[in-house]
Amino acid sequence: MKTLLEVKNVSKQYGTDTVALSDVNFSVKEGEFVSVIGPSGAGKSTLLRCINRMIEASNGEIIFDNVNVQGLRKKELRRLRTKIGMIFQHYNLVMRMSVIENVLHGLLGYKSTFSGVLGLYSEEEKKKALQVLTILGLQEQVYKRCDQLSGGQKQRVGIARALIQNPKMLLCDEPIASLDPNASKIIMDYLKKISSSMGITVLVNLHQVDVALKYSDRIIGVSKGKIVYDGSPKKISEEEINTIYGSEAGELMIEVGGK
Ligand SMILES: Nc1ncnc2c1ncn2[C@@H]1O[C@H](COP(=O)(O)OP(=O)(O)OP(=O)(O)O)[C@@H](O)[C@H]1O
Ligand SMILES: [Mg+2]
């Protein structure tokens, strides 16, 4: 399979003394489902945000779909972002607007500011919005206001908004951190289905190790801004999980797991 994303020697420093990422190297193949795990403050969100340039890396190179992301100017950057859908913990929807309006917002990167601001969408675009909403099981909620939805439904709207752009990759930053186990499973199942049936690459930050192990082709473990594990979820040992989370957290997990 072709390499879609390459992260080379990437570092990120905030201010003068916070090193959030330190010489991070990895690549992701087309269609891969990769989870990034690690304790709070490890640098997971920073890493995802550097990839679509929501924040600027301090050093290193990021190549996405054969394009050096750092060199891109406004228009090219907008084009890059149409290829990379972003999913957030708190959904980032416009809550007073309807489900379909939020999904159509996903097309903004393709539009002139003029028709974007006026909310002008073609019949074809509306049809496409209905299509992605149906894929995500939201055909009954199309005209509801987003503030009337459950958390799991809101997140599915977030995924639909990303999908309407025809992305090559989804970056998901803690997509299930605000959801109960049942809704979490539904969201993870949809992400997996999107990845395997549509060939879309998924890079997801997760707090739940068990979920990461269950769904991923590959696990990247981050600790204090460095990659400390990169490999199959099948081969990862308890000791390696302890290294990712630090020995104290590891002992806690073993205790809980052992009961
Ligand atoms: N905008 C910012 N300005 C300054 N420091 C920041 C900023 N964003 C993050 N940091 C710091 O960078 C480090 C990595 O943060 P980041 O949010 O990437 O971690 P994370 O792994 O996503 O954590 P969490 O699991 O809690 O979401 C932390 O020390 C954090 O305090
Ligand atoms: Mg984070």
Side-chain angles (χ1 to χ4, degrees):
M1 272 292 202
K2 194 180 146 236
T3 297
L4 181 67
L5 171 73
E6 259 183 287
V7 174
K8 292 182 184 172
N9 309 109
V10 165
S11 301
K12 171 67 186 178
Q13 190 166 343
Y14 293 107
T16 48
D17 50 5
T18 307
V19 179
L21 295 175
S22 167
D23 197 23
V24 167
N25 289 281
F26 67 96
S27 58
V28 178
K29 291 199 181 81
E30 238 166 40
E32 246 187 323
F33 194 112
V34 181
S35 291
V36 180
I37 61 171
S40 185
K44 305 181 296 295
S45 298
T46 301
L47 176 62
L48 252 57
R49 287 172 186 186
C50 284
I51 293 170
N52 73 349
R53 297 233 346 243
M54 283 166 78
I55 58 176
E56 302 291 341
S58 312
N59 279 299
E61 234 180 10
I62 295 166
I63 317 279
F64 178 79
D65 204 19
N66 300 316
V67 172
N68 189 332
V69 166
Q70 265 106 331
L72 302 182
R73 305 278 197 114
K74 273 187 193 165
K75 202 175 162 189
E76 303 155 328
L77 188 57
R78 269 212 328 202
R79 191 172 310 141
L80 168 86
R81 287 181 180 154
T82 64
K83 294 195 226 163
I84 304 179
M86 188 90 193
I87 313 287
F88 304 89
Q89 176 181 351
H90 299 293
Y91 327 119
N92 279 30
L93 304 175
V94 185
M95 290 299 168
R96 63 186 165 73
M97 293 181 104
S98 68
V99 166
I100 190 164
E101 282 172 302
N102 271 277
V103 174
L104 287 165
H105 263 173
L107 292 170
L108 279 187
Y110 282 109
K111 290 185 167 288
S112 69
T113 32
F114 183 70
S115 56
V117 167
L118 291 179
L120 299 176
Y121 298 100
S122 67
E123 283 308 309
E124 202 177 317
E125 288 169 330
K126 287 177 196 162
K127 221 171 115 187
K128 173 84 183 175
L130 293 175
Q131 252 171 26
V132 290
L133 283 168
T134 305
I135 291 173
L136 287 146
L138 289 168
Q139 60 277 14
E140 311 285 315
Q141 327 292 336
V142 175
Y143 300 105
K144 268 197 189 160
R145 270 173 63 134
C146 284
D147 50 14
Q148 293 172 349
L149 303 176
S150 71
Q153 289 170 331
K154 285 176 185 157
Q155 193 57 292
R156 281 188 270 155
V157 177
I159 298 171
R161 181 186 51 194
L163 276 191
I164 199 172
Q165 322 177 82
N166 281 329
K168 291 204 166 184
M169 178 168 72
L170 294 180
L171 295 176
C172 315
D173 196 357
E174 308 279 0
I176 57 170
S178 303
L179 302 176
D180 65 36
N182 201 12
S184 296
K185 180 178 184 307
I186 292 171
I187 292 299
M188 291 307 297
D189 286 344
Y190 273 115
L191 289 176
K192 190 74 183 173
K193 181 178 148 194
I194 286 163
S195 161
S196 50
S197 71
M198 303 167 103
I200 295 174
T201 307
V202 174
L203 186 60
V204 54
N205 285 349
L206 287 170
H207 263 123
Q208 303 81 346
V209 181
D210 54 335
V211 176
L213 297 183
K214 179 174 166 201
Y215 286 89
S216 313
D217 299 322
R218 213 169 110 210
I219 303 282
I220 293 179
V222 182
S223 172
K224 296 178 186 158
K226 290 195 164 81
I227 292 186
V228 294
Y229 182 85
D230 182 350
S232 159
K234 295 191 188 98
K235 290 189 191 137
I236 194 166
S237 66
E238 211 148 85
E239 201 180 332
E240 280 161 326
I241 292 176
N242 290 350
T243 308
I244 299 169
Y245 284 92
S247 57
E248 224 170 283
E251 279 161 27
L252 269 175
M253 279 179 33
I254 291 163
E255 246 173 61
V256 172
K259 272 181 192 166

